[in-house]
Amino acid sequence: MTEITPAPQDRHAGQKLPAISFEFFPPKTEEMERSLWETIKRLAPLEPSFVSVTYGAGGSTRERTHSTITRILSETSLLPAAHLTCVGASRGEIDDIVGRYYDAGVRHIVALRGDPSGGIGTAYTTHPDGYRTSADLVAGIKRQHGDIEVSVSAYPEKHPESRDFDADIDMLKAKVDAGAARAITQVFFDNDLYFRYLDRVRARGIEIPIVPGIMPMHNFKQARAFVTRAGTTVPNWLAEKFEGLDDDPETRKLVAATVAAGQVQKLAKHGIDTFHFYTMNRADLVFAISHLLGIRPNGAQKAA
Ligand code: FAD
């Protein structure tokens, strides 16, 4: 594999390296918890800008997201970002969650509308006393605690519910106007889609970072089903790379690392200097891809 030329950004004094962040999901079982913490211990020395923890559909992981976040705060020096959605809760309940996070020391929330409680593809209904949109949620968080940094979502292929790109970017603009500092994209595999989206966003006068969300596909079949439901196109060339590997996890892993490293490398060559990794709570591929970006444990970075 070819060496990646790090993009120009001062991540550590004197170094020109990309900034990275990692996304985890809250574990369901003790075994998953042990495995997540092994992952966190392996990735923490890479000194990500932040690590985020998702919020299950319909708020189903409210307590588990909270306890994962507070454990990260108490046992590591990582900066956690808590995902939060508007689904199935009143404004008062959401404000209480934000208040609890604030009191625990959390200063970064990823604010989302969330999927319809009936599942993706069904009609979205707002809770009668709830926040109506993700932009309302951003505004609510900022009203409560102006010093909480808020990140939001962005959709290079537009959100499946968006009428068109204009409607999609209108929502992004509303979120930025409400105080969002950064957008993290839905997974995408075709970099051209991201660059076209970036052009549209910048043309609309939106200047916040639009951080590419990168997902190394540990299990191609499972991941394809999951991302397709969320509106991400899986190109044929990508599916072909995994053909015949259903019973060969070792080769699949190498292919997945090569594909994701290639994607990140091309983005970096075009000046993208910040990446968010959907880790699926696994360290190996993300660690390898970060290594290829020149990122080494505890600041021992490869000179640019
Ligand atoms: P928004 O940005 O609010 O909306 C996306 C687009 O959909 C808008 O541009 C708008 O055009 C359109 N739209 C929104 N509402 C309507 C409507 N009522 N009618 C017509 N069009 C509409 N989900 C979780 O449950 N938990 C998580 O932790 C989580 N984390 C995520 C992190 C990232 C980085 C991303 C990209 C997604 C995440 N999601 C998560 C998924 C997200 O909740 C869903 O995609 C959801 O359907 C939209 O929420 P949003 O805040 O992204 O959408």
Side-chain angles (χ1 to χ4, degrees):
M1 201 177 295
T2 49
E3 190 71 42
I4 290 171
T5 309
Q9 168 160 322
D10 275 324
R11 181 166 176 270
H12 293 87
Q15 303 282 344
K16 306 280 188 197
L17 286 164
I20 50 174
S21 54
F22 303 133
E23 182 174 304
F24 305 118
F25 60 86
K28 273 197 189 123
T29 62
E30 276 180 29
E31 197 190 328
M32 286 167 83
E33 168 121 12
R34 264 195 303 279
S35 146
L36 170 62
W37 279 86
E38 273 166 32
T39 294
I40 291 176
K41 281 182 189 135
R42 175 100 170 117
L43 294 180
L46 299 179
E47 299 179 346
S49 314
F50 66 90
V51 296
S52 76
V53 180
T54 61
Y55 190 74
S60 53
T61 66
R62 187 182 295 186
E63 286 310 317
R64 280 188 280 128
T65 300
H66 192 275
S67 61
T68 307
I69 289 276
T70 49
R71 189 169 167 196
I72 289 171
L73 267 177
S74 64
E75 293 184 25
T76 75
S77 54
L78 296 168
L79 289 175
H83 291 220
L84 184 59
T85 74
C86 309
V87 179
S90 67
R91 282 167 194 248
E93 286 168 318
I94 301 265
D95 292 349
D96 285 348
I97 296 172
V98 172
R100 268 178 82 198
Y101 276 131
Y102 192 86
D103 293 343
V106 177
R107 294 292 181 272
H108 187 171
I109 290 181
V110 182
L112 305 138
R113 185 201 69 175
D115 284 321
S117 29
I120 295 177
T122 63
Y124 182 83
T125 46
T126 309
H127 184 283
D129 304 315
Y131 284 107
R132 243 176 4 94
T133 66
S134 51
D136 286 347
L137 175 59
V138 176
I141 295 168
K142 290 305 250 185
R143 250 194 322 272
Q144 212 176 329
H145 292 292
D147 56 337
I148 292 185
E149 181 178 358
V150 180
S151 295
V152 293
S153 63
Y155 293 88
E157 302 188 55
K158 81 176 184 57
H159 186 274
E161 286 173 51
S162 292
R163 195 179 57 247
D164 51 32
F165 270 105
D166 284 343
D168 198 272
I169 291 170
D170 282 349
M171 180 61 87
L172 181 61
K173 178 80 169 65
K175 295 190 283 192
V176 174
D177 291 346
R182 163 195 308 97
I184 301 168
T185 76
Q186 181 60 283
V187 180
F188 61 92
F189 298 105
D190 177 349
N191 287 345
D192 288 345
L193 293 170
Y194 170 79
F195 286 117
R196 276 204 289 276
Y197 178 75
L198 207 54
D199 286 346
R200 291 177 199 265
V201 165
R202 297 298 181 231
R204 188 78 166 73
I206 297 169
E207 296 300 336
I208 62 164
I210 310 291
V211 180
I214 306 295
M215 182 191 279
M217 296 189 116
H218 292 91
N219 182 330
F220 177 74
K221 273 196 161 169
Q222 248 180 35
R224 174 165 63 179
F226 172 70
V227 302
T228 305
R229 270 203 311 278
T232 296
T233 305
V234 177
N236 287 339
W237 61 259
L238 179 55
E240 278 163 17
K241 290 202 191 302
F242 288 94
E243 253 169 37
L245 297 180
D246 288 357
D247 301 320
D248 186 351
E250 280 306 307
T251 310
R252 265 202 332 254
K253 198 196 269 187
L254 291 171
V255 171
T258 308
V259 165
Q263 180 179 18
V264 166
Q265 176 177 23
K266 283 178 201 131
L267 290 166
K269 275 193 177 145
H270 284 88
I272 304 304
D273 57 11
T274 314
F275 299 95
H276 183 76
F277 289 102
Y278 293 102
T279 69
M280 311 309 283
N281 290 5
R282 296 171 68 159
D284 47 4
L285 299 192
V286 170
F287 191 91
I289 296 159
S290 302
H291 183 94
L292 287 165
L293 283 167
I295 296 164
R296 303 288 187 269
N298 295 122
Q301 313 297 0
K302 182 182 172 301

